[in-house]
Amino acid sequence: MTPTTTEGEQTARPAGSARRALAGRLSWGLADQAVSSISNLVVGLYVARSLGLAAFGVFSLAWVTYGVVLNVSRGLATDPLVVRFSGVPEASWRAATTRSTGTALGVGGVIGVASVVVGLGLGGSMGGAFVGLGVVLPGLLLQDAWRFSFFAAGAGRKAFVNDLVWGAALIPALVVAARVGSVTGFVLAWGGSAAVAAGYGCLQSGILPRPTRARAWLREQRDLGYRYLLENVGVSGASLLRAYGLGLVVAVSAVGVVRGAELLMGPFLALLMGLSLVTVPEAARVLRQAPHQLGRFCLLLGGGLAVAALLWGTALLLVPDRLGEHVLGSVWYPSSELIVPISLGVAGAGLGVGAAAGLRALAAARRSLRCQLFASACYVGGGVGGAAVAGTVGSAWGVAAANLSASVLWWLQLRSALREHRHNTIREERTT
């Protein structure tokens, strides 16, 4: 005899299945970012210990510049993909991914050529770093595009494996770079190993990127893509301006000090970036399935990240100098002075991540752009202005104040967007 099932049991089972599916997707996001962040951490520590503070500052400038280009690619290529093609039928996802990854590859090629030209004009170690960056940009951007594409499809395991391939290729590349002993060598090792993983992404997906379809993709997604481009460039462009401003106001070595402090926050930043891979797709799913839960989802996300950042910063304050010097070498002592302000700044950024995910899920690109432009202006003003007043430490405190102020605006805009969404939904129901 078939056992009877109550109505409560019928609703509980799908809810439980949904929670397990959500936990699984979040777990793959965290695992993937853990691998990616460990790779980045290894590169940073290896360069810091191998080349010293000044050369590490040059490498950090190239790294921050890459961050700007990466966010250009995400804004134009993968952010619209994640918002509009998460949880869609496979045929739709494959068609969109072909165009999206082709766009990322095209962005890498165009900006890569410009980076090589700039590097040749600069000369010296700085110029060599930018020449190397230009060579490896297409592979770096394509590898990142595969990660977001896989998470949009709910296949986080593939993104995790792809980053494992990058990490495996990175180890021998770093050994060769250490023998060369130059910033350019390390840039080529880091980006060249990413190109290996980018090629493997084509095998995983069975998709070949089509740069020739980039124009069509940009035209189709222009309502979101260009706003996300401005928003993303606001994030990384602010970091770039702060880094170059810090180098001019204080010294290039100060950029290395800040990067060293960021490396100390590496495990938490891995958590932050890992969740960022899946927060927008998950927020979009919450909006489709239970729109009244979106605000709560975003609050739990942002609040949890802020608390985690403060806990990690507290743990860093307890690290003995001998251990810190073993990990970062001479970079440890000046970087350890920045632990408190950087922890507060990352907590503020984490709090804003929850609201940003909600605005992305609601496709409220105008509101999120407004928030990001405000946040970027505060970041540059606080970072460079703080450096002018109190050097590297002042810059860190200025950024902390900027991030906390920006998170307030993010949440105010999300509250308005949720109210507007509920109003529009009620109006549509009444008209139908």
Side-chain angles (χ1 to χ4, degrees), residues 114-196:
S115 180
V116 170
V117 171
V118 170
L120 292 174
L122 288 174
S125 61
M126 182 76 74
F130 279 89
V131 169
L133 180 63
V135 171
V136 300
L137 271 177
L140 283 165
L141 298 189
L142 180 57
Q143 193 276 336
D144 184 75
W146 285 128
R147 296 173 68 207
F148 279 81
S149 298
F150 291 142
F151 277 108
R157 180 180 60 84
K158 290 185 177 180
F160 172 74
V161 172
N162 192 274
D163 270 323
L164 280 180
V165 170
W166 185 2
L170 182 62
I171 295 172
L174 286 178
V175 173
V176 174
R179 293 181 179 178
V180 175
S182 68
V183 177
T184 305
F186 280 105
V187 171
L188 292 174
W190 160 60
S193 54
V196 174

Side-chain angles (χ1 to χ4, degrees), residues 192-275:
S193 54
V196 174
Y200 183 64
C202 298
L203 296 177
Q204 287 178 289
S205 62
I207 295 173
L208 286 177
R210 296 183 61 183
T212 56
R213 298 290 294 163
R215 182 175 297 179
W217 175 258
L218 295 175
R219 185 171 58 251
E220 294 165 6
Q221 310 300 328
R222 63 180 178 273
D223 59 325
L224 293 182
Y226 292 116
R227 284 197 175 100
Y228 288 157
L229 169 65
L230 291 175
E231 183 178 330
N232 290 355
V233 170
V235 177
S236 52
S239 298
L240 184 68
L241 290 174
R242 185 242 183 150
Y244 280 95
L246 188 60
L248 290 173
V249 173
V250 184
V252 174
S253 60
V255 183
V257 172
V258 171
R259 177 60 184 158
E262 291 172 349
L263 289 174
L264 294 175
M265 293 295 294
F268 173 76
L269 292 175
L271 172 67
L272 182 63
M273 294 301 296
L275 288 175

